[in-house]
């Protein structure tokens, strides 16, 4: 019997390897690490090769960047969270399925617990392909303390300590830190949970400006230099991180209804979404902006819930793509001690007219506004007058 395990190299999934042999009776454990720009790929590969029977590393960075382009166009955000973990899960699951089919596996295993969202996002894909799913962390309800001891007994070196017992999920778009004392929302996170960002108070005293060029809603150049999506995001993570940009400490509503305290780092995401929103305000109509907000909220919820296989997701993307045809231009932003401030923007598709709005020109005769103003708010005025007893 053969099982394919979605493998990050962390504590949970590494403990799964001996568990799948001892508690589930598999004779062959195949680990798969999907590379979506997390820093730990090499380490995961080494550990997979050491502890599993067969290991695969799949490079999905380019597929992931294509998904992130969709996310940028949708200003992807769930309750203030940039959706880094969630948007990656179905893609990882698809890659795992490819290997499971190639390996003729009897089951697919993952390291998610029964309390989080990731079990739902993964399994929605695994079931779609008819696989039997095994989730040791959920089925055996293990504690991290037990896992650490079990790992040690099996000669597995443990990547976490009892003092720093965080569960980290990292990819190109965000780094998420959970667990340990962070589970107490009244506990302030220590600086050492952060790896991508400087504390704003330690960021440089001089601001730095970046200029991002978009074509049809997709970022294509940074400070005049054309870059691949991957390079552009990596560079902005570096620059933004240096300036303390993109930390989130929030209460989040999980799909199951549990509230959770979550900590994230995501410099490039914050910069790119701030820039993209700013450019949209220049080129989209008032009606488009208003309606797109609802679409974005629905879009983000489908991603967060792991329901991107719903046909609605394709329809929403089709609407969003239609709006993005004119989202071409650039935005200049100032990065300074944790803040991202748009300071200039340009698009040939701008719906803005300096000629019409300026204090300094006479292109519109202002007297026409008088008639408009007489009707504006008419119903409210009638209501208030009646309330005051006037006719
Ligand atoms: N709360 C986030 C989500 O559901 C991130 C979870 C990341 N997992 C982790 N082990 N840090 O998308």
């Amino acid at each position: 019997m053969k099982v394919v395990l979605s493998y990050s190299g962390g504590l949970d999934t590494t403990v799964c390897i001996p568990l799948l042999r001892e508690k589930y009776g598999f004779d062959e454990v195949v680990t798969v690490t999907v590379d979506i720009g997390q820093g730990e790929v090499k380490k995961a590969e080494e550990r997979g090769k050491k502890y599993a029977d067969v290991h695969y590393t799949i490079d999905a960075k380019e597929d992931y960047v294509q998904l992130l382009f969709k996310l940028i166009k949708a200003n992807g955000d769930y309750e203030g969270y940039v959706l880094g973990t969630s948007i990656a899960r179905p893609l990882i699951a698809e890659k795992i399925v490819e290997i499971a089919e190639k390996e003729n596996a009897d089951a697919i295993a993952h390291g998610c617990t029964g309390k989080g969202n990731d079990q739902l996002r993964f399994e929605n894909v695994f079931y779609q392909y008819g696989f039997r799913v095994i989730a040791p962390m959920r089925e055996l309800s293990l504690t991290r303390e037990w896992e650490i001891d079990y790992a040690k007994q099996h000669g597995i070196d443990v990547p976490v300590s009892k003092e720093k017992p965080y569960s980290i999920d990292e990819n190109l778009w965000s780094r998420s830190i959970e667990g340990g004392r962070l589970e107490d929302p009244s506990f302030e996170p220590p600086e050492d949970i952060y790896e991508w960002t400087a504390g704003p108070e330690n960021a440089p005293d001089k601001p730095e400006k970046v200029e991002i060029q978009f074509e049809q809603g997709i970022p294509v150049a940074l400070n005049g230099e054309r870059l691949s999506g991957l390079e552009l995001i990596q560079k902005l993570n570096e620059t933004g991180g240096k300036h303390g940009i993109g930390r989130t400490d929030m209460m989040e509503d999980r799909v199951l209804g549990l509230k959770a305290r979550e900590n994230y780092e995501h410099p490039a995401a914050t910069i790119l979404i701030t820039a993209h929103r700013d450019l949209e305000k220049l080129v989209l109509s008032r009606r488009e902006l208003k309606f797109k907000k609802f679409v974005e909220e629905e879009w983000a919820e489908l991603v967060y819930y792991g329901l991107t296989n719903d046909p609605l997701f394709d329809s929403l993307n089709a609407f969003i793509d239609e709006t993005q045809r004119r989202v071409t231009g650039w935005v200049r932003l100032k990065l300074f001690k944790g803040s991202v401030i748009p300071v200039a923007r340009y698009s040939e598709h701008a719906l803005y007219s300096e000629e019409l709005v300026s204090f300094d020109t006479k292109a519109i005769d202002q007297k026409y506004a008088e008639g408009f103003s007489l009707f504006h708010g008419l119903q409210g005025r009638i209501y208030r007058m009646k309330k005051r007893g006037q006719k």
Side-chain angles (χ1 to χ4, degrees):
M1 286 237 295
K2 193 192 276 190
V3 62
V4 166
L5 168 66
S6 176
Y7 187 65
S8 72
L11 176 67
D12 291 336
T13 52
T14 307
V15 162
C16 281
I17 300 170
L19 280 175
L20 286 165
R21 295 189 183 116
E22 288 177 6
K23 307 244 176 206
Y24 292 89
F26 286 100
D27 346 274
E28 208 179 326
V29 180
V30 178
T31 47
V32 183
T33 301
V34 180
D35 180 359
I36 44 170
Q38 67 274 40
E40 305 274 274
V41 177
K42 276 275 150 304
K43 243 199 225 146
E45 186 172 77
E46 272 166 35
R47 290 164 69 78
K49 284 184 173 155
K50 188 162 158 198
Y51 301 122
D53 300 290
V54 180
H55 175 84
Y56 288 86
T57 301
I58 308 293
D59 184 353
K61 292 197 285 291
E62 204 32 60
D63 294 314
Y64 190 44
V65 166
Q66 293 307 315
L67 271 178
L68 292 177
F69 284 163
K70 282 194 205 299
L71 183 149
I72 292 166
K73 292 194 245 181
N75 297 316
D77 172 294
Y78 174 79
E79 300 185 346
Y81 155 50
V82 299
L83 294 167
T85 296
S86 40
I87 194 163
R89 293 308 189 190
L91 172 63
I92 296 173
E94 293 276 350
K95 299 290 172 189
I96 302 283
V97 164
E98 277 175 32
I99 301 296
E101 284 180 339
K102 182 175 145 191
E103 283 278 337
N104 251 317
D106 302 286
I108 293 178
H110 63 73
C112 307
T113 70
K115 293 189 178 167
N117 301 315
D118 288 331
Q119 52 180 341
L120 309 171
R121 299 167 182 154
F122 273 147
E123 291 176 11
N124 191 15
V125 176
F126 299 151
Y127 289 140
Q128 186 181 309
Y129 290 91
F131 275 95
R132 175 184 163 205
V133 174
I134 296 174
M137 298 298 127
R138 178 174 70 196
E139 288 154 19
L140 308 171
S141 56
L142 310 172
T143 66
R144 282 181 90 71
E145 302 255 312
W146 186 92
E147 287 177 37
I148 291 171
D149 292 335
Y150 181 79
K152 284 186 179 150
Q153 282 162 29
H154 285 76
I156 292 169
D157 52 296
V158 174
V160 297
S161 63
K162 285 181 185 171
E163 302 76 59
K164 238 182 141 181
Y166 305 121
S167 165
I168 311 286
D169 180 67
E170 188 181 283
N171 63 54
L172 184 61
W173 202 234
S174 78
R175 180 169 177 272
S176 138
I177 314 110
E178 286 180 341
R181 291 195 67 190
L182 299 175
E183 287 178 351
D184 172 2
S186 69
F187 172 73
E188 241 182 79
E191 262 313 292
D192 70 358
I193 69 163
Y194 298 110
E195 284 185 7
W196 289 12
T197 55
E201 61 276 18
N202 300 320
D205 292 323
K206 261 201 176 155
E208 181 170 347
K209 285 182 196 159
V210 289
E211 199 175 288
I212 297 160
Q213 171 82 37
F214 289 88
E215 277 172 14
Q216 308 205 333
I218 292 172
V220 294
L222 176 61
N223 300 328
E225 187 190 355
R226 277 193 95 85
L227 294 172
S228 71
L230 181 66
E231 291 169 314
L232 193 135
I233 295 166
Q234 282 169 337
K235 281 206 172 172
L236 283 177
N237 271 334
E238 225 167 274
T239 310
K242 192 175 76 190
H243 288 280
I245 287 154
R247 284 187 179 183
T248 303
D249 182 332
M250 64 181 284
M251 295 305 301
E252 183 176 302
D253 294 291
R254 288 189 184 159
V255 181
L256 293 176
L258 294 167
K259 281 195 186 287
R261 194 272 188 90
E262 300 283 346
N263 288 86
Y264 301 107
E265 298 182 274
H266 42 76
T270 298
I271 296 169
L272 285 168
I273 292 175
T274 304
H276 180 259
R277 279 203 173 112
D278 189 80
L279 188 58
E280 283 191 325
K281 284 197 179 171
L282 183 65
V283 301
L284 298 188
S285 74
R286 183 204 291 193
R287 304 282 155 201
E288 281 181 299
L289 286 167
K290 184 176 166 197
F291 189 74
K292 185 165 180 280
K293 260 198 195 152
F294 294 110
V295 173
E296 288 173 3
E297 205 172 306
E298 197 62 36
W299 189 97
E301 208 169 284
L302 287 177
V303 170
Y304 188 78
Y305 280 53
L307 297 176
T308 49
N309 58 351
D310 196 289
L312 178 61
F313 190 62
D314 298 338
S315 309
L316 298 181
N317 282 316
F319 167 79
I320 291 170
D321 279 343
E322 180 63 29
T323 65
Q324 297 302 294
R325 286 158 60 139
R326 285 171 290 125
V327 185
T328 295
W330 56 258
V331 178
R332 194 179 307 138
L333 310 115
K334 185 162 83 176
L335 315 181
F336 185 58
K337 292 195 181 288
S339 66
V340 191
I341 307 161
V343 290
R345 74 283 292 154
Y346 170 81
S347 171
E348 57 178 311
H349 303 293
L351 296 183
Y352 172 81
S353 164
E354 188 169 351
E355 172 86 80
L356 293 182
V357 82
S358 174
F359 293 109
D360 305 325
T361 62
K362 292 202 165 106
I364 288 183
D365 191 332
Q366 296 186 36
K367 78 167 194 273
Y368 293 121
E370 199 181 310
F372 189 107
S373 190
L374 276 170
F375 286 95
H376 186 65
L378 187 61
Q379 296 182 357
R381 288 201 307 262
I382 293 171
Y383 166 73
R384 295 287 158 186
M385 283 171 168
K386 285 207 161 167
K387 228 176 144 184
R388 285 209 318 263
Q390 293 177 354
K391 270 270 167 86

